[in-house]
Amino acid sequence: MSYLTGTPTGTAGTAGTGTTDLRTGFGVPGTAHPLLAPAEWGSLARTGAALHWVVLNVADGPGVRPDPHCLQAVGGLRNAGVRVLGHLDLGHGVRAFAEVLSDARRHLDWYQVDGFLLDRCPAGRTELPEVRRTVAALRTLRDTPHIVLGHGTHPHPGYAEHADQLVTFSGPWTDYRWSQVAEWTADHPPERFCHLVHGVPRGHLDEALRIARWQGAATIWFTDRGDRGGLDDPWETLPGYWDEIVSRIGTGVSE
């Protein structure tokens, strides 16, 4: 079982009550192109309030021209009140600032996204000023964009000052079930943190949900899909237990 290096985040007044007041919901890090996965996109549009956001990733970003199938899929999500984020690849800090901003503008011009997931975001202190510069520029492109930094691990705490949410875990269940949470996260509410976990067996869903609650992450994505050693994208399809986990989130997370 995972454990903390400090006080559990956001658990005051809830431990041992059998309920949680965390507004747990899904952050969908990516889904296959709507031509390949029309049922998945339709299902997401019907999920409603349980979705915190869905990432649009046409071709490692917005692609080279507007895609009518993506326009239709995004329209369905927006009509359902779901926030759509454009995928921006920071390349662990090596992508040029101008390239990232160009991708962001195309996401906005073509799909009117509500914000951005900055994937492969660096996590170290030395890269923080450049990420801060990028986020500041993104915030000038539209009113109140929702910015998620996709570190996949606990970054330097300074990153929390510049984003709406941080992805502090992204990886397999075999690592997640023994993971630790950084002590500084206790200074922030659970709505600031996201956990993306693949390879979660159906029989361990309750355990995974408890870990997310204990570590103080209100936005989650759990799937039974795996990456086969990095050969597959585990996020491209919905989990096999999609209806079950939607039902659990809708009725609350048990302690």
Side-chain angles (χ1 to χ4, degrees):
M1 176 63 68
S2 64
Y3 61 94
L4 287 157
T5 57
T7 304
T9 305
T11 57
T14 64
T17 63
T19 61
T20 175
D21 52 13
L22 305 188
R23 294 188 294 275
T24 303
F26 302 112
V28 184
T31 302
H33 190 280
L35 270 179
L36 301 176
E40 281 83 352
W41 284 92
S43 182
L44 290 174
R46 292 189 296 273
T47 302
L51 286 177
H52 290 171
W53 40 260
V54 174
V55 173
L56 175 67
N57 186 2
V58 181
D60 291 326
V64 297
R65 61 182 61 86
D67 185 312
H69 303 286
C70 292
L71 283 167
Q72 183 177 4
V74 168
L77 290 173
R78 184 164 289 111
N79 290 338
V82 177
R83 178 186 283 140
V84 178
L85 306 182
H87 178 275
L88 299 176
D89 184 4
L90 295 193
H92 301 297
V94 302
R95 278 198 81 201
F97 174 81
E99 290 181 7
V100 175
L101 267 290
S102 176
D103 279 359
R105 291 189 181 98
R106 281 182 285 159
H107 269 304
L108 285 167
D109 291 345
W110 298 343
Y111 305 109
Q112 290 79 53
V113 295
D114 304 296
F116 305 97
L117 169 69
L118 279 60
D119 197 17
R120 299 202 296 169
C121 184
R125 185 172 187 170
T126 57
E127 298 93 349
L128 176 56
E130 184 63 18
V131 174
R132 179 172 60 227
R133 176 192 180 206
T134 300
V135 171
L138 293 174
R139 293 199 184 280
T140 69
L141 299 182
R142 63 154 292 158
D143 293 336
T144 61
H146 189 79
I147 305 294
V148 180
L149 299 183
H151 308 284
T153 188
H154 286 93
H156 182 277
Y159 286 90
E161 300 176 18
H162 307 290
D164 297 288
Q165 291 185 297
L166 308 176
V167 178
T168 53
F169 184 92
S170 180
W173 165 246
T174 50
D175 292 342
Y176 188 61
R177 68 183 310 191
W178 305 110
S179 63
Q180 301 178 35
V181 63
E183 192 167 341
W184 63 263
T185 62
D187 296 331
H188 303 277
E191 289 77 13
R192 302 293 308 282
F193 301 105
C194 316
H195 289 173
L196 313 176
V197 190
H198 59 78
V200 181
R202 182 187 298 268
H204 289 277
L205 268 180
D206 283 338
E207 182 184 353
L209 290 167
R210 284 195 297 269
I211 292 171
R213 178 184 183 274
W214 183 250
Q215 294 195 2
T219 299
I220 62 168
W221 186 248
F222 297 156
T223 179
D224 52 352
R225 312 308 187 191
D227 66 355
R228 290 201 310 136
L231 298 176
D232 293 331
D233 183 351
W235 317 125
E236 283 194 338
T237 60
L238 296 181
Y241 41 64
W242 174 242
D243 290 340
E244 179 179 346
I245 193 171
V246 169
S247 175
R248 294 190 189 202
I249 292 298
T251 57
V253 181
S254 61
E255 176 64 33

PDB file of all heavy atoms in Angstrom, residues 156-178:
ATOM      1  N   HIS A 156       9.412  20.077  -8.488  1.00  0.00           N
ATOM      2  CA  HIS A 156       9.766  21.101  -7.526  1.00  0.00           C
ATOM      3  C   HIS A 156       8.487  21.852  -7.132  1.00  0.00           C
ATOM      4  O   HIS A 156       7.648  22.154  -7.988  1.00  0.00           O
ATOM      5  CB  HIS A 156      10.780  22.073  -8.140  1.00  0.00           C
ATOM      6  CG  HIS A 156      11.250  23.133  -7.209  1.00  0.00           C
ATOM      7  ND1 HIS A 156      10.529  24.297  -6.984  1.00  0.00           N
ATOM      8  CD2 HIS A 156      12.359  23.214  -6.437  1.00  0.00           C
ATOM      9  CE1 HIS A 156      11.182  25.055  -6.107  1.00  0.00           C
ATOM     10  NE2 HIS A 156      12.288  24.408  -5.761  1.00  0.00           N
ATOM     11  N   PRO A 157       8.283  22.130  -5.856  1.00  0.00           N
ATOM     12  CA  PRO A 157       7.015  22.742  -5.424  1.00  0.00           C
ATOM     13  C   PRO A 157       6.714  24.081  -6.074  1.00  0.00           C
ATOM     14  O   PRO A 157       5.552  24.511  -6.105  1.00  0.00           O
ATOM     15  CB  PRO A 157       7.183  22.871  -3.905  1.00  0.00           C
ATOM     16  CG  PRO A 157       8.631  22.700  -3.635  1.00  0.00           C
ATOM     17  CD  PRO A 157       9.159  21.824  -4.707  1.00  0.00           C
ATOM     18  N   GLY A 158       7.702  24.757  -6.620  1.00  0.00           N
ATOM     19  CA  GLY A 158       7.458  26.039  -7.256  1.00  0.00           C
ATOM     20  C   GLY A 158       6.526  25.967  -8.452  1.00  0.00           C
ATOM     21  O   GLY A 158       5.888  26.963  -8.812  1.00  0.00           O
ATOM     22  N   TYR A 159       6.436  24.800  -9.077  1.00  0.00           N
ATOM     23  CA  TYR A 159       5.546  24.664 -10.234  1.00  0.00           C
ATOM     24  C   TYR A 159       4.086  24.868  -9.854  1.00  0.00           C
ATOM     25  O   TYR A 159       3.276  25.290 -10.690  1.00  0.00           O
ATOM     26  CB  TYR A 159       5.718  23.292 -10.875  1.00  0.00           C
ATOM     27  CG  TYR A 159       6.991  23.131 -11.665  1.00  0.00           C
ATOM     28  CD1 TYR A 159       8.166  22.667 -11.071  1.00  0.00           C
ATOM     29  CD2 TYR A 159       7.029  23.429 -13.026  1.00  0.00           C
ATOM     30  CE1 TYR A 159       9.334  22.509 -11.804  1.00  0.00           C
ATOM     31  CE2 TYR A 159       8.200  23.274 -13.770  1.00  0.00           C
ATOM     32  CZ  TYR A 159       9.346  22.820 -13.141  1.00  0.00           C
ATOM     33  OH  TYR A 159      10.504  22.680 -13.880  1.00  0.00           O
ATOM     34  N   ALA A 160       3.740  24.565  -8.624  1.00  0.00           N
ATOM     35  CA  ALA A 160       2.347  24.690  -8.195  1.00  0.00           C
ATOM     36  C   ALA A 160       1.856  26.126  -8.235  1.00  0.00           C
ATOM     37  O   ALA A 160       0.644  26.372  -8.279  1.00  0.00           O
ATOM     38  CB  ALA A 160       2.187  24.118  -6.782  1.00  0.00           C
ATOM     39  N   GLU A 161       2.756  27.086  -8.235  1.00  0.00           N
ATOM     40  CA  GLU A 161       2.365  28.499  -8.265  1.00  0.00           C
ATOM     41  C   GLU A 161       1.892  28.945  -9.638  1.00  0.00           C
ATOM     42  O   GLU A 161       1.291  30.018  -9.768  1.00  0.00           O
ATOM     43  CB  GLU A 161       3.549  29.370  -7.835  1.00  0.00           C
ATOM     44  CG  GLU A 161       4.064  29.100  -6.435  1.00  0.00           C
ATOM     45  CD  GLU A 161       5.297  29.934  -6.124  1.00  0.00           C
ATOM     46  OE1 GLU A 161       5.531  30.938  -6.839  1.00  0.00           O
ATOM     47  OE2 GLU A 161       6.020  29.584  -5.178  1.00  0.00           O
ATOM     48  N   HIS A 162       2.128  28.135 -10.676  1.00  0.00           N
ATOM     49  CA  HIS A 162       1.913  28.610 -12.035  1.00  0.00           C
ATOM     50  C   HIS A 162       0.901  27.798 -12.827  1.00  0.00           C
ATOM     51  O   HIS A 162       0.600  28.164 -13.967  1.00  0.00           O
ATOM     52  CB  HIS A 162       3.250  28.641 -12.776  1.00  0.00           C
ATOM     53  CG  HIS A 162       4.307  29.406 -12.055  1.00  0.00           C
ATOM     54  ND1 HIS A 162       4.279  30.775 -11.925  1.00  0.00           N
ATOM     55  CD2 HIS A 162       5.404  28.983 -11.352  1.00  0.00           C
ATOM     56  CE1 HIS A 162       5.316  31.176 -11.218  1.00  0.00           C
ATOM     57  NE2 HIS A 162       6.005  30.108 -10.849  1.00  0.00           N
ATOM     58  N   ALA A 163       0.368  26.743 -12.257  1.00  0.00           N
ATOM     59  CA  ALA A 163      -0.579  25.891 -12.978  1.00  0.00           C
ATOM     60  C   ALA A 163      -1.844  25.705 -12.159  1.00  0.00           C
ATOM     61  O   ALA A 163      -1.848  25.880 -10.936  1.00  0.00           O
ATOM     62  CB  ALA A 163       0.045  24.538 -13.286  1.00  0.00           C
ATOM     63  N   ASP A 164      -2.913  25.344 -12.852  1.00  0.00           N
ATOM     64  CA  ASP A 164      -4.154  25.019 -12.156  1.00  0.00           C
ATOM     65  C   ASP A 164      -4.086  23.626 -11.551  1.00  0.00           C
ATOM     66  O   ASP A 164      -4.635  23.379 -10.476  1.00  0.00           O
ATOM     67  CB  ASP A 164      -5.329  25.107 -13.133  1.00  0.00           C
ATOM     68  CG  ASP A 164      -5.509  26.518 -13.667  1.00  0.00           C
ATOM     69  OD1 ASP A 164      -5.956  27.382 -12.911  1.00  0.00           O
ATOM     70  OD2 ASP A 164      -5.170  26.753 -14.843  1.00  0.00           O
ATOM     71  N   GLN A 165      -3.412  22.704 -12.258  1.00  0.00           N
ATOM     72  CA  GLN A 165      -3.257  21.347 -11.756  1.00  0.00           C
ATOM     73  C   GLN A 165      -1.896  20.802 -12.166  1.00  0.00           C
ATOM     74  O   GLN A 165      -1.327  21.213 -13.185  1.00  0.00           O
ATOM     75  CB  GLN A 165      -4.353  20.428 -12.314  1.00  0.00           C
ATOM     76  CG  GLN A 165      -5.756  20.717 -11.791  1.00  0.00           C
ATOM     77  CD  GLN A 165      -6.748  19.694 -12.296  1.00  0.00           C
ATOM     78  OE1 GLN A 165      -6.995  19.577 -13.484  1.00  0.00           O
ATOM     79  NE2 GLN A 165      -7.318  18.921 -11.375  1.00  0.00           N
ATOM     80  N   LEU A 166      -1.410  19.858 -11.374  1.00  0.00           N
ATOM     81  CA  LEU A 166      -0.169  19.157 -11.653  1.00  0.00           C
ATOM     82  C   LEU A 166      -0.446  17.662 -11.720  1.00  0.00           C
ATOM     83  O   LEU A 166      -1.135  17.110 -10.845  1.00  0.00           O
ATOM     84  CB  LEU A 166       0.877  19.406 -10.562  1.00  0.00           C
ATOM     85  CG  LEU A 166       1.200  20.851 -10.173  1.00  0.00           C
ATOM     86  CD1 LEU A 166       2.178  20.861  -8.999  1.00  0.00           C
ATOM     87  CD2 LEU A 166       1.756  21.626 -11.346  1.00  0.00           C
ATOM     88  N   VAL A 167       0.081  16.997 -12.753  1.00  0.00           N
ATOM     89  CA  VAL A 167       0.041  15.532 -12.794  1.00  0.00           C
ATOM     90  C   VAL A 167       1.260  15.042 -12.033  1.00  0.00           C
ATOM     91  O   VAL A 167       2.388  15.126 -12.506  1.00  0.00           O
ATOM     92  CB  VAL A 167       0.060  15.005 -14.241  1.00  0.00           C
ATOM     93  CG1 VAL A 167       0.061  13.473 -14.236  1.00  0.00           C
ATOM     94  CG2 VAL A 167      -1.133  15.533 -15.027  1.00  0.00           C
ATOM     95  N   THR A 168       1.030  14.534 -10.828  1.00  0.00           N
ATOM     96  CA  THR A 168       2.137  14.125  -9.968  1.00  0.00           C
ATOM     97  C   THR A 168       2.389  12.621 -10.006  1.00  0.00           C
ATOM     98  O   THR A 168       3.326  12.138  -9.372  1.00  0.00           O
ATOM     99  CB  THR A 168       1.891  14.575  -8.524  1.00  0.00           C
ATOM    100  OG1 THR A 168       0.606  14.118  -8.097  1.00  0.00           O
ATOM    101  CG2 THR A 168       1.954  16.101  -8.416  1.00  0.00           C
ATOM    102  N   PHE A 169       1.551  11.885 -10.724  1.00  0.00           N
ATOM    103  CA  PHE A 169       1.857  10.477 -11.001  1.00  0.00           C
ATOM    104  C   PHE A 169       1.297  10.130 -12.365  1.00  0.00           C
ATOM    105  O   PHE A 169       0.136  10.410 -12.668  1.00  0.00           O
ATOM    106  CB  PHE A 169       1.266   9.522  -9.970  1.00  0.00           C
ATOM    107  CG  PHE A 169       1.682   8.086 -10.225  1.00  0.00           C
ATOM    108  CD1 PHE A 169       2.811   7.563  -9.609  1.00  0.00           C
ATOM    109  CD2 PHE A 169       0.983   7.286 -11.129  1.00  0.00           C
ATOM    110  CE1 PHE A 169       3.230   6.259  -9.885  1.00  0.00           C
ATOM    111  CE2 PHE A 169       1.402   5.994 -11.406  1.00  0.00           C
ATOM    112  CZ  PHE A 169       2.524   5.480 -10.780  1.00  0.00           C
ATOM    113  N   SER A 170       2.117   9.482 -13.199  1.00  0.00           N
ATOM    114  CA  SER A 170       1.670   8.904 -14.453  1.00  0.00           C
ATOM    115  C   SER A 170       2.508   7.658 -14.684  1.00  0.00           C
ATOM    116  O   SER A 170       3.732   7.741 -14.823  1.00  0.00           O
ATOM    117  CB  SER A 170       1.844   9.887 -15.615  1.00  0.00           C
ATOM    118  OG  SER A 170       1.407   9.304 -16.831  1.00  0.00           O
ATOM    119  N   GLY A 171       1.847   6.503 -14.681  1.00  0.00           N
ATOM    120  CA  GLY A 171       2.593   5.277 -14.832  1.00  0.00           C
ATOM    121  C   GLY A 171       1.770   4.058 -14.487  1.00  0.00           C
ATOM    122  O   GLY A 171       0.540   4.119 -14.360  1.00  0.00           O
ATOM    123  N   PRO A 172       2.433   2.908 -14.300  1.00  0.00           N
ATOM    124  CA  PRO A 172       1.726   1.643 -14.102  1.00  0.00           C
ATOM    125  C   PRO A 172       1.267   1.440 -12.660  1.00  0.00           C
ATOM    126  O   PRO A 172       1.835   1.995 -11.708  1.00  0.00           O
ATOM    127  CB  PRO A 172       2.780   0.599 -14.479  1.00  0.00           C
ATOM    128  CG  PRO A 172       4.081   1.250 -14.135  1.00  0.00           C
ATOM    129  CD  PRO A 172       3.893   2.715 -14.463  1.00  0.00           C
ATOM    130  N   TRP A 173       0.255   0.609 -12.519  1.00  0.00           N
ATOM    131  CA  TRP A 173      -0.288   0.245 -11.215  1.00  0.00           C
ATOM    132  C   TRP A 173       0.788  -0.384 -10.320  1.00  0.00           C
ATOM    133  O   TRP A 173       0.810  -0.151  -9.111  1.00  0.00           O
ATOM    134  CB  TRP A 173      -1.453  -0.726 -11.412  1.00  0.00           C
ATOM    135  CG  TRP A 173      -1.879  -1.464 -10.187  1.00  0.00           C
ATOM    136  CD1 TRP A 173      -1.796  -2.797  -9.949  1.00  0.00           C
ATOM    137  CD2 TRP A 173      -2.479  -0.885  -9.015  1.00  0.00           C
ATOM    138  NE1 TRP A 173      -2.290  -3.103  -8.705  1.00  0.00           N
ATOM    139  CE2 TRP A 173      -2.719  -1.941  -8.111  1.00  0.00           C
ATOM    140  CE3 TRP A 173      -2.826   0.402  -8.639  1.00  0.00           C
ATOM    141  CZ2 TRP A 173      -3.296  -1.745  -6.866  1.00  0.00           C
ATOM    142  CZ3 TRP A 173      -3.399   0.606  -7.391  1.00  0.00           C
ATOM    143  CH2 TRP A 173      -3.637  -0.462  -6.522  1.00  0.00           C
ATOM    144  N   THR A 174       1.681  -1.153 -10.896  1.00  0.00           N
ATOM    145  CA  THR A 174       2.713  -1.813 -10.094  1.00  0.00           C
ATOM    146  C   THR A 174       3.588  -0.803  -9.356  1.00  0.00           C
ATOM    147  O   THR A 174       4.134  -1.112  -8.298  1.00  0.00           O
ATOM    148  CB  THR A 174       3.597  -2.699 -10.985  1.00  0.00           C
ATOM    149  OG1 THR A 174       4.044  -1.944 -12.123  1.00  0.00           O
ATOM    150  CG2 THR A 174       2.823  -3.922 -11.463  1.00  0.00           C
ATOM    151  N   ASP A 175       3.732   0.407  -9.903  1.00  0.00           N
ATOM    152  CA  ASP A 175       4.449   1.471  -9.203  1.00  0.00           C
ATOM    153  C   ASP A 175       3.512   2.277  -8.303  1.00  0.00           C
ATOM    154  O   ASP A 175       3.894   2.684  -7.200  1.00  0.00           O
ATOM    155  CB  ASP A 175       5.111   2.431 -10.201  1.00  0.00           C
ATOM    156  CG  ASP A 175       6.253   1.791 -10.966  1.00  0.00           C
ATOM    157  OD1 ASP A 175       6.769   0.745 -10.507  1.00  0.00           O
ATOM    158  OD2 ASP A 175       6.612   2.328 -12.033  1.00  0.00           O
ATOM    159  N   TYR A 176       2.304   2.494  -8.777  1.00  0.00           N
ATOM    160  CA  TYR A 176       1.370   3.370  -8.043  1.00  0.00           C
ATOM    161  C   TYR A 176       1.007   2.800  -6.680  1.00  0.00           C
ATOM    162  O   TYR A 176       0.920   3.552  -5.702  1.00  0.00           O
ATOM    163  CB  TYR A 176       0.108   3.565  -8.879  1.00  0.00           C
ATOM    164  CG  TYR A 176      -0.861   4.582  -8.329  1.00  0.00           C
ATOM    165  CD1 TYR A 176      -0.488   5.912  -8.168  1.00  0.00           C
ATOM    166  CD2 TYR A 176      -2.169   4.221  -7.986  1.00  0.00           C
ATOM    167  CE1 TYR A 176      -1.383   6.855  -7.687  1.00  0.00           C
ATOM    168  CE2 TYR A 176      -3.074   5.156  -7.510  1.00  0.00           C
ATOM    169  CZ  TYR A 176      -2.676   6.471  -7.360  1.00  0.00           C
ATOM    170  OH  TYR A 176      -3.565   7.412  -6.872  1.00  0.00           O
ATOM    171  N   ARG A 177       0.827   1.510  -6.590  1.00  0.00           N
ATOM    172  CA  ARG A 177       0.343   0.933  -5.327  1.00  0.00           C
ATOM    173  C   ARG A 177       1.390   1.046  -4.222  1.00  0.00           C
ATOM    174  O   ARG A 177       1.060   0.917  -3.040  1.00  0.00           O
ATOM    175  CB  ARG A 177      -0.089  -0.517  -5.528  1.00  0.00           C
ATOM    176  CG  ARG A 177       1.024  -1.491  -5.830  1.00  0.00           C
ATOM    177  CD  ARG A 177       0.479  -2.885  -6.082  1.00  0.00           C
ATOM    178  NE  ARG A 177      -0.441  -3.315  -5.037  1.00  0.00           N
ATOM    179  CZ  ARG A 177      -0.901  -4.556  -4.901  1.00  0.00           C
ATOM    180  NH1 ARG A 177      -0.527  -5.492  -5.763  1.00  0.00           N
ATOM    181  NH2 ARG A 177      -1.723  -4.875  -3.926  1.00  0.00           N
ATOM    182  N   TRP A 178       2.653   1.317  -4.580  1.00  0.00           N
ATOM    183  CA  TRP A 178       3.697   1.514  -3.577  1.00  0.00           C
ATOM    184  C   TRP A 178       4.223   2.951  -3.576  1.00  0.00           C
ATOM    185  O   TRP A 178       5.251   3.240  -2.973  1.00  0.00           O
ATOM    186  CB  TRP A 178       4.859   0.549  -3.826  1.00  0.00           C
ATOM    187  CG  TRP A 178       4.431  -0.871  -3.891  1.00  0.00           C
ATOM    188  CD1 TRP A 178       4.402  -1.681  -4.986  1.00  0.00           C
ATOM    189  CD2 TRP A 178       3.926  -1.666  -2.811  1.00  0.00           C
ATOM    190  NE1 TRP A 178       3.913  -2.922  -4.668  1.00  0.00           N
ATOM    191  CE2 TRP A 178       3.610  -2.948  -3.329  1.00  0.00           C
ATOM    192  CE3 TRP A 178       3.689  -1.412  -1.449  1.00  0.00           C
ATOM    193  CZ2 TRP A 178       3.087  -3.962  -2.541  1.00  0.00           C
ATOM    194  CZ3 TRP A 178       3.173  -2.435  -0.670  1.00  0.00           C
ATOM    195  CH2 TRP A 178       2.880  -3.695  -1.205  1.00  0.00           C
TER     196      TRP A 178
END
